[in-house]
Amino acid sequence: MSVDSSPEAQTAPATPQQSLSTAAARNLATTTKSAPQMQEITSRWLLRMLPWVEAEGGAYRVNRRLRHTLGNGRIGFVQEGATVRVIPQELGELAFLRGFEDRDVLDALADRCAQRDFTAGEVLVERGSPADRIHLIAHGRVSQTSEGRYGGKTTIAVLADGEHFGENALSDPDARHDCTVTAETAGTLLTLSRADFTAVQATAPHLRAHIDEFASRTRRPQNKHGEARITVAAGHVGEPDLPGTFVDYELQPREYELSVAQTVLRVHTRVADLYNGPMNQSEEQLRLTVEALRERQEHELINNREFGLLHNADFKQRIQPRHGPPTPDDMDDLLCRRRGTKMFLAHPRTIAAIGRGFNACGLHPDQVDLDGQSVPAWRGVPILPCNKIPISKEQTSSIIAMRTGETSQGVIGLRRTGLLDEYEPGLSVRFMGINEQAIISYLVSTYFSAAVLLPDALGVMENVQVAPRAS
C-alpha cells in the first residue's frame, strides 16, 4: 500500500471562520479614546501659591524707605587658561566704589589684583591677624569661623563665587581679621593690597573724593537694615525736648513692567469642520497651548533675568550650604532670615537630596495638607516641587524660600485681567483671521511679572548638591 507523503496531504484542513473577526468589527465600532495627553504639564505650585495683584497700567512700582546700603553685589571675572582677572567695571559692586565710573582708575585697580590659588582645607586668613588686603573670590567656597563664647568654632558664613571679604582693610591701617577663613574647596581668589590701593588713589584725586562722599553717607543715621533711621524717644520722664523726625523714601523706586508670553495657534478649517467629534479639535489644541504658555510663565518667573526670583534675591539673602548636600541646619539658616516664610521651592531632585540629608541626621520632613494634597514640609513650611529651577552640570541647584502677599510685604505675582477676548484670568485668545490656505489663526497671550516688596521676602540657598555622594 502506497502512502502519500506530499506537504498538502500532511497539512490539516483549516477550520472555516464561524463569526466576524474583531479586526473587521472595529471598522464599525466607536473607539473609546483619551483627550490628548501632554508630559510637559507639571503641578505649577508657584503659579498656584503666588498672590496675584492687578497691574492696571502695565507696571507696578515698589516704594520703599530710603536705604543707605550700597554695593552689595557680586563681582565678575574672566578666565584665560589658568589666569583669572577681575572685570574692571565689576569693581563697582564693592560698596565704596559703587557709582565710580572712571574706567582708567578701575583698570589700574584691576591690574594690581594678584591671583592666589588655594586648596581644600587651606587657611586663607587667621582670626586676629592684621588685615592689609581685600579678597575677591573668583571660584570656590570658603567658610568664615570664629571662637564661640562657650568654646569651639562657630560658623559665621559660607562665601562662594563673586563674593569678597576684608573690605575694611583698604581704609583702616589698624584693621584686623575678625574671623578665620578656611577653604572648603579648591579655588582661586584675587587680592588687592592696601598699599596698591593707596598708590592708585594718590594718582586719582576724584577717587579720594568719591570715597570721602561714600564715608559721609555711611555715617548718616540708619537702622540695622540700612534704612534711614526714624528717631523716637522712649523711657523719658519730665518734659524733655522730643526729637523730630520724618520717613525718607527712595527717590527712584523700582518699577516692574509686565512681561508677555505669546504664540500663534493655527488650525486648518478642514480639521475644525470635519474632525470635531467626539472632541472639539480647536478646543483641544487651545487647551494644550495654554498649558505650554503657563509652563513658560512659571519658567520666566523663576529664571528671567529682569524679574525672575533666582536673579532678584538680595545678595544678603543668599546663603551657601555648609557641606554641599542640604541639611536641617542649612534649611534652618534659610528659614530664619525672614518672618512668615510661606513656602520653599526646590527641584524634585533637590527635594530628594533634602530627604537624604534629613535621613542622615535621623530626621524626616513633616507632612502638611495643601489644597487637599499631602506635601513634605520643614518647621511647618511646605517644600514644593518646581522643575523650572535649573540644575547645573556640576549637579548643584538652588532652594528658594519666600514670604508672599502685599499685606505681608512679601513676593507677589503681577498680571492684568479684563483683557479683550480673555480666556482665563490674565490670558487672552484673539481671533486673527483665516489666510488663503484656509488656516485659522489665534493669538494666545498672557501678561505677567513678579515683584519682591522687601529684600528679606525672598531668600535663596545656592550651590546645593543634588547628586548623592559616592559611598
Side-chain angles (χ1 to χ4, degrees):
M1 184 176 65
S2 65
V3 178
D4 188 357
S5 60
S6 65
E8 291 79 5
Q10 296 179 0
T11 302
T15 304
Q17 182 174 330
Q18 301 182 41
S19 66
L20 181 68
S21 68
T22 56
R26 288 187 61 188
N27 293 329
L28 299 180
T30 299
T31 302
T32 302
K33 59 183 71 69
S34 72
Q37 306 298 300
M38 182 175 176
Q39 189 171 348
E40 186 182 10
I41 299 174
T42 64
S43 54
R44 298 198 292 266
W45 278 107
L46 178 60
L47 298 188
R48 295 160 61 180
M49 296 292 289
L50 269 186
W52 291 95
V53 175
E54 285 292 317
E56 295 185 359
Y60 185 93
R61 180 180 299 160
V62 178
N63 290 308
R64 294 175 177 171
R65 280 176 60 186
L66 178 65
R67 301 179 71 220
H68 294 303
T69 305
L70 298 174
N72 288 314
R74 294 192 175 179
I75 300 170
F77 302 83
V78 292
Q79 182 178 6
E80 297 178 0
T83 302
V84 178
R85 189 174 189 274
V86 64
I87 300 173
Q89 297 92 324
E90 290 291 310
L91 291 174
E93 292 299 326
L94 298 173
F96 60 90
L97 290 178
R98 173 60 64 91
F100 186 76
E101 299 178 351
D102 189 318
R103 177 62 186 271
D104 293 336
V105 176
L106 294 177
D107 283 343
L109 291 174
D111 289 339
R112 290 175 178 262
C113 289
Q115 180 174 336
R116 176 183 176 182
D117 296 323
F118 54 86
T119 58
E122 181 179 347
V123 177
L124 302 179
V125 299
E126 287 279 3
R127 179 174 181 265
S129 62
D132 63 349
R133 63 192 64 235
I134 185 174
H135 298 73
L136 314 177
I137 304 173
H139 177 65
R141 283 163 42 96
V142 303
S143 63
Q144 294 179 310
T145 59
S146 184
E147 295 294 329
R149 174 170 292 187
Y150 302 103
K153 290 185 178 180
T154 301
T155 300
I156 298 175
V158 178
L159 307 180
D161 303 9
E163 297 183 284
H164 60 275
F165 60 93
E167 185 174 329
N168 61 333
L170 298 185
S171 57
D172 183 4
D174 299 323
R176 290 185 175 274
H177 293 290
D178 57 1
C179 60
T180 298
V181 181
T182 307
E184 291 194 348
T185 67
T188 301
L189 57 78
L190 301 182
T191 63
L192 176 63
S193 69
R194 185 190 311 123
D196 286 334
F197 182 76
T198 303
V200 174
Q201 188 175 247
T203 63
H206 52 300
L207 175 58
R208 162 56 64 185
H210 178 86
I211 293 175
D212 290 342
E213 196 275 334
F214 167 78
S216 68
R217 280 182 289 163
T218 57
R219 286 193 294 267
R220 296 173 188 170
Q222 52 188 278
N223 61 19
K224 65 180 181 179
H225 304 291
E227 298 172 329
R229 182 180 297 170
I230 300 175
T231 306
V232 178
H236 53 276
V237 295
E239 299 177 352
D241 292 334
L242 297 180
T245 190
F246 65 95
V247 182
D248 206 354
Y249 301 135
E250 290 185 351
L251 297 180
Q252 296 180 326
R254 179 173 179 178
E255 288 191 355
Y256 293 85
E257 294 187 0
L258 293 185
S259 180
V260 61
Q262 290 179 308
T263 189
V264 176
L265 173 63
R266 296 186 174 93
V267 181
H268 201 287
T269 53
R270 183 169 63 250
V271 172
D273 291 341
L274 301 180
Y275 302 100
N276 265 353
M279 299 178 189
N280 187 301
Q281 292 281 2
S282 298
E283 283 295 326
E284 293 301 321
Q285 288 279 303
L286 180 58
R287 178 179 66 83
L288 297 182
T289 301
V290 169
E291 294 283 0
L293 273 181
R294 292 302 191 196
E295 292 291 331
R296 184 54 184 264
Q297 178 182 355
E298 187 174 65
H299 177 274
E300 292 294 313
L301 289 173
I302 294 290
N303 297 288
N304 188 282
R305 298 195 66 85
E306 295 296 325
F307 57 85
L309 300 182
L310 287 178
H311 297 283
N312 279 269
D314 189 89
F315 287 109
K316 287 187 175 181
Q317 297 296 324
R318 298 174 185 265
I319 67 172
Q320 305 288 327
R322 287 173 170 82
H323 307 294
T327 66
D329 290 340
D330 295 326
M331 297 295 287
D332 281 339
D333 285 346
L334 184 58
L335 184 64
C336 73
R337 290 175 174 260
R338 73 203 45 78
R339 57 179 170 82
T341 302
K342 185 72 172 180
M343 60 177 166
F344 295 106
L345 278 180
H347 193 280
R349 289 184 59 193
T350 307
I351 295 178
I354 292 173
R356 289 194 297 269
F358 282 31
N359 291 337
C361 297
L363 301 172
H364 59 85
D366 309 323
Q367 294 290 321
V368 297
D369 184 81
L370 199 62
D371 293 342
Q373 299 185 43
S374 180
V375 297
W378 178 242
R379 309 289 190 193
V381 179
I383 306 173
L384 304 177
C386 178
N387 68 344
K388 314 304 186 303
I389 300 176
I391 295 178
S392 71
K393 61 182 180 181
E394 293 84 10
Q395 297 298 297
T396 61
S397 187
S398 300
I399 301 174
I400 299 173
M402 70 179 81
R403 179 178 68 246
T404 60
E406 277 188 306
T407 57
S408 299
Q409 300 177 310
V411 181
I412 59 173
L414 305 175
R415 68 181 180 187
R416 178 74 168 88
T417 60
L419 303 171
L420 185 65
D421 299 324
E422 192 167 59
Y423 181 78
E424 290 180 356
L427 185 145
S428 66
V429 180
R430 193 167 298 175
F431 176 69
M432 297 177 63
I434 305 175
N435 66 10
E436 295 179 353
Q437 287 76 38
I439 297 176
I440 310 171
S441 296
Y442 300 93
L443 176 64
V444 187
S445 309
T446 183
Y447 301 92
F448 60 92
S449 187
V452 183
L453 301 187
L454 281 182
D456 72 339
L458 176 66
V460 177
M461 186 192 303
E462 301 177 314
N463 299 317
V464 176
Q465 181 178 321
V466 300
R469 286 179 172 174
S471 56

